[in-house]
Amino acid sequence: MERNKNIFLIGFMGCGKSTMARLLAEKTGAELIEMDETIEAEAGMSINEIFEEYGEKHFRDLESELVRRIAEKGGAVVSCGGGAILRPENVENMKKNGQVVYLSAEPETIYKRVRHSTTRPLLNGNMNVEYITALMEERLPRYLAAADKIIIVDGKEKQDVLEEILLTIC
Ligand code: S3P
């Protein structure tokens, strides 16, 4: 892995970006950036609170600003929020100085992983496979267009996904 390059893990909510980014950072020694956690820490509020008080657009602005900063700095493994690829400028910034890896998971896999979560405003009140399927279909072209590499995670052990990512970024 080039020292100054970023690795951006993208994919739908619950596809395993945070876990895989942590494992990848441990393995490579790169800095770990969890975008949602960073935004929450900087805002002093949870993602739910940011959506409730300021709306989704404000959250997306914070997200874009963070991607810009990460792209300038380099050298990190980044767990992106599931919607970070929605703005073309974010994808451009990711690609400036980084590699984008899409962790692909079926809606059923996602549902199993997130069904007890209450920290994702887009899924609060929409916690079902149908909604996840529809949102994923809407976003799929964006994920695919942003991805330098696609890794299917359904039914795989974490260590196997990690090996695949490592092969991709070497
Ligand atoms: C979002 C995904 C979330 C978080 C926010 C919006 C999305 O991140 O950024 O709730 O639009 O897909 P995770 O993918 O880490 O859950």
Side-chain angles (χ1 to χ4, degrees):
M1 180 178 160
E2 280 173 48
R3 262 188 85 70
N4 204 37
K5 206 162 114 181
N6 288 305
I7 304 295
F8 291 94
L9 299 188
I10 64 164
F12 204 85
M13 292 171 266
C15 69
K17 293 163 295 194
S18 301
T19 305
M20 296 318 306
R22 182 175 47 77
L23 295 176
L24 197 56
E26 278 167 13
K27 190 87 178 177
T28 60
E31 180 191 358
L32 170 65
I33 299 178
E34 218 286 331
M35 283 189 54
D36 288 343
E37 277 178 17
T38 305
I39 290 171
E40 287 182 326
E42 290 181 353
M45 301 166 89
S46 70
I47 304 286
N48 272 335
E49 287 166 343
I50 297 172
F51 268 67
E52 268 166 36
E53 288 205 26
Y54 300 110
E56 181 172 348
K57 181 181 176 298
H58 179 71
F59 172 75
R60 298 298 173 200
D61 289 343
L62 297 176
E63 202 170 47
S64 297
E65 208 269 314
L66 179 57
V67 173
R68 263 197 300 278
R69 273 189 279 149
I70 295 170
E72 270 169 29
K73 191 158 161 268
V77 171
V78 187
S79 170
C80 295
I85 44 65
L86 293 176
R87 288 188 178 172
E89 64 165 281
N90 295 354
V91 177
E92 276 166 34
N93 282 328
M94 287 178 197
K95 285 179 176 288
K96 258 186 206 162
N97 183 23
Q99 203 173 349
V100 181
V101 179
Y102 170 41
L103 302 184
S104 164
E106 292 296 325
E108 290 74 14
T109 306
I110 297 292
Y111 176 69
K112 271 189 215 147
R113 292 183 181 184
V114 301
R115 65 181 190 269
H116 300 303
S117 163
T118 54
T119 58
R120 295 179 169 98
L122 299 182
L123 296 181
N124 291 343
N126 295 314
M127 194 55 87
N128 55 74
V129 176
E130 292 71 27
Y131 182 84
I132 290 169
T133 304
L135 187 57
M136 194 183 288
E137 274 174 13
E138 189 185 311
R139 288 182 172 186
L140 193 58
R142 312 271 189 144
Y143 287 127
L144 295 177
D148 294 311
K149 173 76 185 176
I150 300 168
I151 293 178
I152 294 170
V153 302
D154 303 281
K156 290 184 186 162
E157 297 295 332
K158 291 184 189 80
Q159 285 307 322
D160 295 332
V161 175
L162 179 63
E163 288 304 320
E164 284 191 51
I165 299 174
L166 284 167
L167 284 175
T168 294
I169 64 173
C170 282

